[in-house]
Amino acid sequence: QVQLVESGGGSVQAGGSLRLSCAASQYTGNNNLLAWFRQAPGKEREGVAAIYTGGGSTYYADSVKGRFTISQDNAKNTVYLQMRGLNPDDTAMYYCAADLRRLSWWSVRTWYDPTRFGYWGQGTQVTVSS
């Protein structure tokens, strides 16, 4: 059973940066989908970014394009979310998620759907003050 552990959250001022990390307890394989979601109080969980390990394609929510970057380090079984230009609307609990089925590239078009992910981390809080 793969376990995902997030780290790197914290409190920053608007305009600041943070890098979140998600370490998997074991090798997750190839052609799968790794993603970051976030959930603010009273709101639904929303997809922030995802990476398809089959070819490295990345996907982003419109609200974070140009500010956030998802990447992975296969040697460390870790996926990162570099966040720049943070604003108070980015305040949320951030979760790492993994769909570890062997996926074709066209099947990851619904990367933002939380129901497709079978593995979740415990979350790390990001708070951005104005």
Side-chain angles (χ1 to χ4, degrees), residues 47-71:
V48 175
I51 184 166
Y52 172 54
T53 64
S57 297
T58 56
Y59 308 86
Y60 296 94
D62 288 343
S63 59
V64 306
K65 279 181 182 176
R67 299 189 299 122
F68 291 10
T69 303
I70 188 170
S71 62

Side-chain angles (χ1 to χ4, degrees), residues 25-36:
S25 59
Q26 62 190 67
Y27 175 62
T28 57
N30 293 318
N31 290 32
N32 47 49
L33 188 65
L34 307 175
W36 287 95

